[in-house]
């Protein structure tokens, strides 16, 4: 029995409903487009008749090197005859000609990679007949010259240029800007000239025989599967080379055959808001290109209900049918030819983040999809989009066209922000607070002592730094839009201005930044704020909470953060970084006193000043979290981070030395000398704290072991805060977390200190102070010896940033400046391990640590609190490893809730 | 049946020969000293009769709180009666008194921790009798006052002070420096006064009853087991608290009973050279204390052969017997009482490194021990001692007594060195080479560009830096004696002098440093060089080679290094650090050109200049190794290490700016401005290479991926060098090693480059270029993903320094400056993981990587090449994990050979 190479669109009848793997097989055979056309036909949608030549035929053709096998040709003839019967038209018959298109359609969409030929079936005689039939010679001639041009270039391998040269020549002669200005007599001449080009460059004349046209077109489409462009695309997209493409031959329909003809596009629900109503545009008596080209003013789809009410109802019916069939919002192309509605294509429609969420939720309400499917329909990135202000699209387009786009940097923290430029943190804070201005903090880069300025600003822009720079990390943490590493921007702190190319902007001038795209604009661009309270999003996230295994907590250092986190759905605080509390300008000097203290008594004095402030911080957190877990990490960063910048002090000294040479009075000399001496003293202390590799230096638990008064103060503050809020009737559920441990012996003394202080305060206040004592796992050794650590630690929190740094031996601060981005570009690394947790290396350590920890202490609570806690791929990874929770910045909490649900659904 | 609490020394007869666990049990019961005294008695050695009260009795006494159990007392009486019978003397009998000593003796030696009472059995009546018996009233009275004083303080808890006050008073009265100047009448008065002190402070009189004396003494010794001093010692030494101590009661013998009496000490072989002949000192008519005190001139033991030839022969016989019995050189205390030789104690003798080796080898020749036992008898540290010059002991003592000891720093690289001070590397080199002076390079600290100066110097001294500072690492590597972190030394680079306290030493003056002890002396101290060619050491190390499993290779960068390594027994080079070749002053400028190059063409020009130099380096190594494996690591350190010091440049600029304000001519201004600009350009480049954590930055394979011309040049140089030496008939067996990899994808491109160059050169020269391609494992991720790395890598070499740094998250450069030493002091860490490989953390990674690597590539060759490669404990660890080799600095090779043998013997 001969193989079946050709399937008519209507050969899939109701008996042929495919699902799962079967449908996949059908798509492999007929291609995506062919399968869909058949599917629509089966559903009773009016699709212009046609047939699909299978991808098997493509492979057979490419293998044989001798043209299409006779079997295939015979089956094409048969299928074409069926179309002719159905359409009541005849291929090549001038009195009633059938025209067809010939389009590629592979299993996986390869947009623009392969070839298409339209209007097949025209020749001189058919042109003659059509002119009489349609009474529009211009249209007919234009269609004909298009066929010749398309056929010549796609099928016969003639270059495009000679055709375009002729068209240019005629446009110039008529002094018109585009082809629609050409006259009928021009087109008649052009058709002859095009034929001459074919004869000259292809070595044979344009085939007048429609069947020859079709055969050649089919072969050309098949050959295009093997073209360089398609091969390159497949290599990049990972599509196998042996799939082959199918070819769809379909009756041409024309929307430009009079006032009872039309053409248009429609989506089954609003792509902007997701509202359940048909949206789209159409043109009466027009072709598809006219709608897209924008040369004629289109009408809204509602208008179709007025001019062709019955067809509008039919379209609505089709839209509902297809939406229900494909279980998603559909984007439909249609043509009305002499009062008959034809659907040319349907596909899942593109949509905004808001629409995606509303459509998913509404489709559940409409009974079309399940809650689980709805959860898989919305991407975590779409949820994130909800949380940040965005520029009004029109306002941004206008600004761009006006040349206000200054540069594009790294898009490290999403959202749009508009404000006046402040070039230092203190100014940013004072302008924001005193003058109530919206401020953008612009710096070469940021440091921990800029944090108060970042918090006071609407957004942050730096000229250097990478995706994991301080500015990026802090901005993401606090949900501040930020663009970093905008290297074209020169920040002149002396002249108090920034320069981009020839353009200079003064401090205090307006600027707009888009942290979602990395764009930086001069001036103000209007923004709009999507709403997290969106009822559809709330519903979706509630469903997510119902299916996810992972708990979602937030990293929060301040009560406001904690409140926001709870509002966004966080069930606890997984990381409170106590050092951020010390960078507050009111406290930094006390902290500095503590560090500069040359004896323990002075140090303790400073700590006593800090105690009530810390207590206040913690009490605020406990109140905000009302009994939910609050994990407080003891002081982590190296002490030098709290001291002034060495280079600045050094410059001060140099300045004074230079002034010294010009000093004229003894008093002046004395005073300068004294200032130099004092500054040099501070510089000495900074130098004594200097480390070659501070990341691996005196920080974390090491500080606590060397300066035990420090953790004592912090632990006391935690317990006193518990007692304070308990007296107000608020429950507190703290965890004390030790950073950077690498050996179980580091934990024991601090656990004892905590127990001792808890006992002392418990006795004093007659209560039982309950807390958990745990550790971060952020050194590889902590992960490897987790079984030992779990003897002391009651919980683990993986600090995946540091763990990634140490496991790879890559410094976060330097990596993206030098080799990491290059590694990604070269493909040495496939993903940035600071964006997405490295499963093979870091993941192996984490899995081993979790298992070892649970062997020692069954049920030990484990989570991650690095930047990865908000990354969907990383969430899926740690979910698969059986962790209990992720903790991420508050604004990522909704993202994490959805990602955790998707992980649970994907790997039940 | 009542328990047996007391054992006479002679109760161990020939039937009672114990071995292994049994002997351990005997030592547990009788204590080490008691067991030995019994053992000697059994062997027929003349030991003063006595008995041991068991440690069980100690525990029974300490538990009961009611004094010695009656059983014990009864058995003591019995045993004492036996001694009286044997000695023909009687306890408390004035006419023929038996005196005994009462000494503690626990299972494990606890020197000085517990109490002793001598001369028990004296009272007023006995004194009277003894005076008549011995005709030496002074001796008898002195013995009596000693008993009272010792008994009062040890047994009755009286303070020492009142007794010493009285002795001082009498010495002052007689104007004599020590007690031997006191007269008989003084001692008579002193005895009375001592008794009065006892009566006053102890609340009872001194017990005249000898039996009471003995009972009280035994109880006191038992109690001392539970004293604070002993408890502290046991905690530190890890000795269990429940062992208890035994007590040995032994007849007193006196060497001061006339000219036929004597006392002395002897070792069975020379403790200095190991030569097989009795060595020692003795005094006729003297007590043990006299020999030790040095108040009388002792005679050499040979002299005993002259004055008492028979007893000398007897002593020699005992020495041989005991040596054969204890299978080691013996340190013997003896006393001759009225012509009778008594041995009081024997123990394994202390010895120098040289003696230890010779004795071990000779004992094998004498058939006393096996080769295996000999290998376990010598410590790796003793082997190391062989390899470094040492100060002549006498010269050092003299220098110390003359106040020339300036200070003591960290003893980071052993050996003594003497030279003139040079304060910078260039000067050190030129003085050493041009003036052929022995130089000590003295610096605040060293940097990579000081290495040529370090190599040219006899030793290195720095005022800052820790055990793992650059100076320490390089000095150890090259076997240069070094003292670092001598913080009391101020190095004044302007005045060209160093200052310690009030003492100033000019550059060019002589200085002597001891890297074994950390001492720094002004002036020249004579040194002597032990010889690695020592025939006994050679023999021992050959035996070691016969039993060890681990191969021993060396880290060597230069042909001279490699030659020395081979001479010291290395079977290959496990690490050639190519960067050291670039720090050579002739090459550094080319290297700097390469780094400063702003385009690839310039960079390649510089590399082409380096190629022939590298080829020469490698050819030299291949010649030195004659076919043994040579693993060459491609460039590893961050580029900034090759550039000048930023701070120095910065100071230069400041200086020029200050001079600018005083400039008087336009030319001067112009020239200064130009200099400032040039310097600032270099500073900019340095700044652009600046990294916050260079350890985790752009170095290792990352350099090779980003600047592929660099590894290309190095690989080409390796292969060209192979061809060059092949033409001379020398085989070359290179391994190309990639540093700092963390992902398999980093290795593949470099492996391809190597294959490509090998193919090209192989074709050109018509030969087959054979080499191995491998990687260091020094990031935790490389260890975790070793199974994947082994698909590309043909060998692994663990870089345990970096692996330790990253696994712990501890920066080697900073660690000992801040918290690491404190951690060790506090016991948070038990050993410095940079000295001895951390078994639980880093070791787990290594073991996992070895196993994974071998699963992928069975038989893959694996070793370590960090500092740990020369550390005995680390060698034992990697041996137990089945690694193939260790590679260490050449001078550690003999140490590693022995350590590897000991590991194989300990864990067969």
């Amino acid at each position: 029995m001969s193989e079946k190479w050709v399937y008519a669109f209507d050969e899939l009848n109701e008996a042929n409903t495919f699902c799962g793997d079967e449908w996949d097989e059908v798509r492999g055979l007929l291609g995506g487009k062919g399968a869909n056309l058949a599917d629509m036909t089966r559903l009773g949608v009016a699709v212009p008749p046609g047939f699909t030549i299978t991808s098997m035929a493509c492979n057979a053709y490419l293998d044989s090197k001798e043209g299409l096998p006779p079997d295939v040709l015979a089956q094409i003839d048969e299928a074409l005859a069926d179309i002719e019967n159905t359409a009541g038209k005849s291929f090549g018959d001038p009195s009633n000609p059938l025209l067809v298109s010939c389009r590629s359609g592979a299993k996986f969409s390869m947009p623009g990679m392969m070839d298409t030929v339209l209007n097949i079936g025209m020749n001189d005689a058919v042109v003659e007949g059509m002119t009489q039939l349609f009474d529009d010679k211009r249209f007919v001639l234009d269609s004909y010259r298009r066929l010749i041009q398309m056929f010549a270039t796609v099928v016969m391998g003639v270059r495009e240029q000679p055709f375009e040269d002729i068209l240019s020549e005629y446009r110039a002669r008529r002094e018109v800007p585009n082809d629609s200005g050409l006259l009928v007599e021009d087109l008649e001449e052009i058709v002859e000239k095009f034929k001459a080009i074919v004869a000259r460059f292809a070595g044979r004349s344009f085939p007048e025989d429609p069947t020859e046209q079709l055969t050649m077109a089919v072969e050309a489409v098949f050959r295009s599967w093997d073209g360089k462009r398609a091969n390159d695309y497949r290599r990049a997209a990972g599509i196998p080379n042996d799939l082959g493409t199918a070819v769809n031959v379909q009756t041409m329909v024309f929307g430009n055959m009079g006032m009872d003809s039309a053409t248009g596009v429609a989506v089954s629900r609003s792509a902007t808001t997701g509202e359940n109503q048909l949206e789209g545009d159409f043109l009466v008596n027009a072709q598809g290109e006219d709608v897209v080209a924008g040369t004629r003013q289109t009408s809204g789809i509602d208008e179709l209900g007025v001019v062709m009410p019955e067809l509008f109802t039919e379209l609505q019916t089709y839209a509902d049918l297809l939406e229900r069939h494909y279980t998603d919002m559909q984007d439909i192309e249609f043509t009305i030819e002499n009062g008959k509605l034809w659907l040319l294509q349907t596909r899942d429609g593109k949509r905004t983040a808001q629409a995606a969420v509303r459509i998913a939720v509404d489709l559940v309400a409409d009974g079309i999809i399940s809650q689980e499917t709805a959860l898989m329909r919305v991407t975590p990135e779409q949820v994130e989009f909800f949380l940040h202000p965005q520029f009004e699209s029109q306002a941004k387009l206008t600004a761009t066209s006006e040349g206000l786009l200054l540069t594009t940097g790294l898009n490290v923290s999403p959202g749009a922000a508009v404000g006046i430029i402040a070039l230092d943190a203190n100014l940013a804070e004072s302008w924001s607070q005193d003058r109530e201005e919206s401020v953008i903090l612009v710096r070469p880069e940021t440091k921990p002592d800029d944090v108060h300025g970042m918090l006071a600003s609407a957004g942050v822009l730096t000229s250097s730094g990478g995706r994991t720079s301080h500015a990026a990390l802090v901005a993401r943490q606090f949900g501040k839009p930020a663009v970093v590493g905008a290297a074209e921007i020169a920040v002149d702190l002396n002249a108090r201005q920034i320069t981009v190319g020839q353009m200079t902007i003064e401090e205090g001038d307006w600027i707009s930044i888009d942290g979602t795209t990395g764009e930086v604009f001069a001036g103000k661009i209007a923004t709009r704020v999507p709403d997290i309270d969106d009822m559809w999003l709330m519903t979706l996230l509630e469903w997510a909470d119902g299916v996810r295994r992972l708990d979602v907590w937030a990293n929060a250092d301040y009560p406001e953060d904690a409140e926001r986190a709870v509002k966004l759905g966080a069930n606890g605080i997984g990381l409170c970084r106590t050092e951020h509390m010390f960078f507050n300008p009111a406290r930094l000097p006390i902290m500095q006193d503590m560090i500069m203290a040359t004896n323990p008594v002075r140090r303790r004095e400073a700590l006593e000043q800090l105690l009530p402030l810390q207590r206040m911080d913690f009490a605020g957190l406990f109140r905000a979290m009302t009994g939910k877990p609050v994990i407080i990490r003891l002081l982590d960063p190296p002490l030098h981070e709290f001291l002034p910048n060495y280079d600045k002090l050094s410059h001060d000294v140099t300045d004074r030395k230079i002034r010294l040479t010009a000093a004229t009075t003894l008093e002046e000399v004395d005073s300068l000398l004294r200032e130099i001496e004092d500054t040099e003293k501070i510089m000495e202390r900074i130098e004594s704290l200097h480390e070659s590799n501070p990341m691996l230096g005196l920080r974390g638990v090491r500080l606590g072991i060397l300066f035990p008064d420090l953790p004592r103060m912090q632990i006391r503050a935690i317990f006193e805060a518990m007692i304070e809020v308990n007296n107000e009737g608020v429950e507190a559920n703290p965890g004390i977390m030790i950073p950077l441990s690498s050996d179980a012996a580091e934990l024991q003394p601090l656990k004892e200190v905590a127990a001792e202080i808890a006992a002392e305060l418990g006795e004093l206040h007659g209560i039982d102070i309950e807390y958990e004592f745990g550790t971060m796992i952020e050194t590889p050794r902590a992960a490897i010896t987790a079984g030992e650590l779990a003897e002391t630690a009651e919980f683990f929190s993986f600090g995946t940033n540091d763990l990634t740094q140490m496991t790879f031996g890559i410094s976060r601060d330097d990596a993206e400046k030098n080799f990491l981005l290059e590694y990604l570009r070269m493909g040495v690394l496939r993903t940035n391990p600071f964006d997405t947790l490295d499963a093979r290396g870091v993941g192996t350590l984490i899995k081993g640590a979790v298992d070892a920890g649970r062997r020692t202490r069954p049920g030990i609570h484990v989570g991650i609190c690095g930047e990865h806690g908000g990354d969907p791929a990383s969430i899926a990874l740690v979910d698969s490893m059986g962790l209990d929770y992720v903790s991420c910045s508050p604004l990522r909490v909704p993202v994490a809730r959805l990602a955790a649900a998707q992980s649970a659904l994907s790997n039940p």
Side-chain angles (χ1 to χ4, degrees), chain A:
Chain A
M1 198 185 93
S2 135
E3 191 153 354
K4 184 158 171 63
W5 304 103
V6 175
Y7 290 81
F9 293 167
D10 56 6
E11 274 190 70
L12 286 187
N13 56 37
E14 279 194 47
N16 294 324
T17 49
F18 301 99
C19 59
D21 286 351
E22 286 173 328
W23 181 240
D24 194 64
E25 228 173 284
V26 171
R27 283 181 61 233
L29 189 68
L30 304 184
K33 186 192 289 275
N36 258 28
L37 286 166
D39 205 30
M40 285 164 73
T41 305
R42 183 179 63 74
L43 290 171
V45 174
V47 173
F51 56 86
T52 304
I53 309 163
T54 68
S55 55
M56 304 296 283
C58 174
N59 287 336
Y61 167 73
L62 292 175
D63 286 349
S64 85
K65 316 274 177 201
E66 292 179 359
L68 283 170
D71 268 13
V72 177
L73 289 173
Q75 292 183 22
I76 291 175
D77 279 351
E78 238 172 88
L80 195 63
D82 285 347
I83 299 182
E84 289 175 328
N85 280 343
T86 311
K89 297 179 181 177
S90 199
F91 202 45
D93 176 358
S95 64
N96 190 19
L98 176 72
L99 302 190
V100 298
S101 62
C102 185
R103 285 189 175 91
S104 66
K107 180 170 181 182
F108 302 106
S109 170
M110 294 168 60
M113 288 304 116
M114 287 181 300
D115 294 327
T116 291
V117 185
L118 303 176
N119 301 343
I120 293 172
M122 291 183 90
N123 54 26
D124 291 351
V126 169
V127 165
E128 222 33 64
M130 280 175 74
T131 307
Q132 288 172 21
L133 219 55
F134 299 152
D135 196 20
D136 183 350
K137 189 163 191 182
R138 215 202 149 280
F139 153 66
V140 174
L141 283 171
D142 190 51
S143 300
Y144 193 34
R145 76 91 190 155
R146 280 178 201 269
L147 170 63
I148 298 169
Q149 183 173 356
M150 211 179 278
F151 197 92
T153 53
V154 169
V155 181
M156 303 177 86
V158 180
R159 286 179 312 123
E160 190 75 38
Q161 199 54 47
F163 299 103
E164 290 300 331
D165 287 347
I166 288 170
L167 289 171
S168 300
E169 184 193 324
Y170 276 86
R171 283 198 299 268
R173 192 185 300 170
R174 293 283 168 213
E175 295 180 354
V176 294
N178 53 45
D179 300 344
S180 58
L182 300 181
L183 307 182
V184 168
E185 51 264 43
D186 296 337
L187 289 167
E188 280 174 332
E189 289 174 27
I190 286 170
V191 163
E192 289 314 309
K193 291 196 170 172
F194 275 20
K195 283 186 183 168
I197 290 169
V198 171
R200 179 168 162 218
F201 288 103
R204 61 157 286 182
S205 60
F206 171 75
E208 293 268 331
D209 173 9
T211 306
E212 194 182 0
Q213 286 175 11
L214 181 58
T215 306
M216 289 175 75
V218 169
E219 289 181 346
V221 173
F222 280 163
R223 283 196 306 273
S224 71
W225 171 261
D226 223 12
K228 178 172 170 8
R229 210 168 30 150
N231 268 310
D232 288 350
Y233 182 89
R234 285 197 298 273
R235 193 165 38 247
I239 299 175
N241 273 326
D242 59 359
L243 292 179
T245 183
V247 167
N248 299 291
V249 177
Q250 189 174 21
T251 312
M252 294 289 301
V253 289
F254 297 94
N256 52 349
M257 291 184 67
M259 294 310 289
D260 62 348
S261 296
T263 193
V265 293
V267 286
S268 59
R269 294 173 191 243
S270 164
T272 312
T273 65
E275 205 180 343
N276 187 2
Q277 61 174 38
L278 218 50
E279 249 182 23
D281 302 285
F282 75 103
L283 279 172
V284 171
N285 195 18
Q287 279 189 302
E289 300 96 284
D290 301 326
V291 178
V292 178
T295 43
R296 282 171 57 187
Q297 179 62 45
T298 58
S299 308
I301 201 77
D302 293 344
E303 186 67 15
L304 187 67
V306 177
V307 298
M308 304 177 184
E310 278 165 27
L311 293 180
F312 178 78
T313 307
E314 195 182 347
L315 180 63
Q316 178 73 61
T317 308
Y318 283 149
D320 290 348
L321 177 69
L322 290 170
E323 194 178 82
R324 198 162 282 273
H325 178 67
Y326 291 112
T327 72
D328 202 355
M329 178 262 250
Q330 292 297 299
D331 181 345
I332 295 163
E333 285 178 29
F334 65 89
T335 287
I336 296 167
E337 186 185 66
N338 299 132
K340 164 78 181 158
L341 173 67
W342 297 101
L343 263 54
L344 302 182
Q345 175 164 300
T346 188
R347 55 188 170 188
D348 296 347
K350 301 224 177 304
R351 66 206 77 176
T352 63
Q354 288 97 318
V357 170
R358 175 161 177 183
I359 290 170
V361 172
D362 283 353
L363 286 175
V364 174
D366 295 346
I368 295 174
I369 60 174
S370 65
Q371 287 185 5
E372 286 73 20
T373 304
L375 285 167
M376 298 305 288
R377 280 281 169 82
V378 176
T379 66
E381 290 69 32
Q382 285 171 325
V383 171
E384 185 176 6
F385 191 86
F386 263 77
L387 306 163
H388 304 287
Q390 307 296 334
F391 289 133
E392 297 277 5
S393 334
Q394 197 49 53
K396 184 163 150 180
L397 281 176
T398 309
T400 306
S401 68
E402 285 172 0
L404 296 177
L405 177 61
L406 295 175
T407 184
T408 302
L410 295 171
N411 53 337
V412 294
S413 184
V418 179
I420 57 173
I421 295 176
L423 294 180
D424 67 63
N426 291 334
L427 195 62
E429 193 180 48
S430 83
W431 280 359
S432 161
Q433 287 173 3
D434 308 342
R435 292 168 42 182
E436 292 184 11
E437 296 273 16
S438 177
V439 175
I440 305 286
L441 178 65
V442 183
R443 296 282 303 164
E445 60 184 336
T446 65
K447 295 233 158 59
D449 52 7
D450 294 325
V451 170
H452 65 287
M454 297 174 74
L455 291 179
S457 301
V460 178
L461 169 63
T462 72
S463 57
S464 64
R467 291 197 181 278
T468 49
S469 60
H470 177 265
L473 290 173
V474 174
R476 273 202 290 281
Q477 164 64 15
F478 295 106
K480 297 282 176 195
V483 175
V484 306
E488 287 182 282
I489 296 181
V491 180
D492 188 336
L493 296 174
N494 293 320
R496 308 305 290 186
Q497 61 190 21
I498 68 172
T499 311
V500 190
Q502 298 303 315
M503 195 149 178
T504 295
I505 309 179
E506 303 293 325
E507 187 169 40
D509 283 352
W510 287 90
I511 197 172
S512 301
I513 65 170
D514 189 340
T516 311
T517 62
E519 291 160 308
V520 179
F521 296 91
K524 294 169 76 163
I525 300 183
T527 60
R528 60 182 175 71
V529 187
D531 191 358
I532 180 71
D533 291 336
D534 179 284
M535 59 173 271
W536 291 277
L537 181 60
M538 301 283 267
T539 304
L540 190 78
L541 291 177
E542 270 164 32
W543 295 344
D545 294 345
V547 303
R548 64 183 160 86
R549 288 172 293 238
L550 273 177
D551 212 353
V552 177
W553 292 6
N555 302 343
D557 307 336
Y558 306 100
E560 316 84 89
D561 278 349
E563 278 158 21
R564 180 162 52 168
V566 169
K567 193 174 162 224
L568 294 174
N571 287 330
I573 291 181
L575 176 62
C576 162
R577 280 157 297 205
T578 51
E579 58 269 22
H580 282 167
M581 300 166 168
F582 295 127
F583 284 119
N584 176 312
R587 302 176 184 186
L588 195 54
I590 312 175
M591 191 67 187
Q592 291 175 343
D593 280 353
M594 193 211 65
I595 296 167
M596 298 290 292
T598 48
N599 65 58
V601 178
R602 278 284 166 80
R603 183 173 305 127
R604 233 166 278 149
E605 279 172 11
L607 286 170
E608 268 163 33
Q609 286 184 269
L610 290 172
L611 175 65
L613 300 170
Q614 283 260 287
R615 184 173 55 224
M616 195 170 70
D617 297 328
F618 298 143
L621 281 180
F622 293 149
R623 285 186 198 103
M625 296 306 291
T626 56
K628 292 194 174 75
V630 177
I631 294 185
I632 297 167
R633 180 177 72 184
L634 302 188
L635 196 72
D636 182 47
L639 295 182
H640 71 80
E641 286 198 10
F642 298 98
L643 294 180
N645 182 280
Y646 184 88
D647 287 341
K648 196 191 157 300
L649 297 182
S650 172
H651 282 131
D652 288 355
V653 168
T654 304
D655 276 357
R656 292 207 182 88
K657 282 186 179 166
I658 291 172
R659 277 159 55 199
L660 203 55
T661 63
T664 49
T665 69
L666 260 181
E667 288 77 16
E668 209 178 328
V669 168
D670 270 359
S671 143
L672 281 166
L673 282 177
R674 212 169 322 112
E675 283 170 28
I676 290 171
E677 196 185 339
D678 287 351
T679 310
E680 284 181 339
K681 225 171 257 170
I682 303 177
M683 287 168 69
E684 252 170 54
R685 177 67 177 147
I686 299 177
E687 217 160 355
S688 83
L689 288 170
H690 172 79
E691 295 177 310
S692 317
N693 297 289
M695 235 274 302
L696 309 177
L698 179 52
R699 46 176 285 242
V701 65
R702 300 161 189 174
L703 284 173
I705 301 273
L706 257 63
F707 307 108
D709 292 332
L710 200 55
R712 273 188 175 274
M713 179 279 280
Q714 294 199 294
I715 291 169
R716 182 174 292 273
I718 292 169
F719 293 153
E720 289 184 356
M722 278 178 83
I723 294 164
E724 184 176 321
V725 301
N726 273 341
N727 290 340
E728 302 161 12
V730 175
E731 204 190 324
N733 184 8
I736 295 172
M737 182 158 72
I738 307 303
L740 207 73
S741 52
S742 59
D743 194 286
E746 293 171 313
L747 301 180
Q748 195 50 43
L750 289 165
K751 189 172 186 181
E752 282 164 16
V753 163
E756 176 198 316
I757 298 175
E760 176 206 320
L761 290 174
E763 198 172 336
L764 189 68
H765 296 269
I767 57 164
D768 203 15
I769 295 183
E770 280 180 26
Y771 62 97
E772 289 217 314
F773 180 91
T775 183
M776 295 201 69
I777 306 265
E778 44 187 342
T779 66
R781 195 172 189 279
I784 297 164
T785 62
E788 294 170 34
L789 295 182
E791 284 166 19
T792 308
E794 293 156 350
F795 62 86
F796 286 166
S797 178
F798 290 91
T800 52
N801 287 352
D802 274 4
L803 191 57
T804 300
Q805 296 193 86
M806 293 182 200
T807 304
F808 273 88
I810 292 180
S811 163
R812 187 177 71 184
D813 295 341
D814 306 313
E816 291 182 338
K817 181 178 98 171
N818 47 43
F819 67 92
L820 191 56
L821 296 181
E822 195 63 12
Y823 262 39
L824 291 167
R825 198 188 60 72
M826 297 170 76
V828 177
L829 287 177
R830 281 202 214 120
T831 52
N832 184 336
F834 295 108
D835 290 344
T836 295
L837 210 49
D838 158 51
R840 287 178 304 156
V842 182
T844 301
L845 279 180
I846 293 177
K847 181 75 173 93
V850 170
D851 293 348
R854 289 199 174 136
R855 275 195 299 277
T856 300
R857 187 183 288 268
I860 186 173
H861 204 238
V862 291
I864 68 170
C865 65
E867 286 279 305
H868 298 102
D871 168 64
S874 307
I875 289 170
L877 180 65
V878 302
D879 188 28
S880 76
M881 299 194 297
L883 269 70
D884 297 306
Y885 70 92
V886 294
S887 185
C888 54
S889 51
L891 275 183
R892 305 277 314 171
V893 166
V895 178
R897 288 162 72 192
L898 179 63
Q902 292 185 340
S903 169
L905 291 171
S906 306
N907 289 294

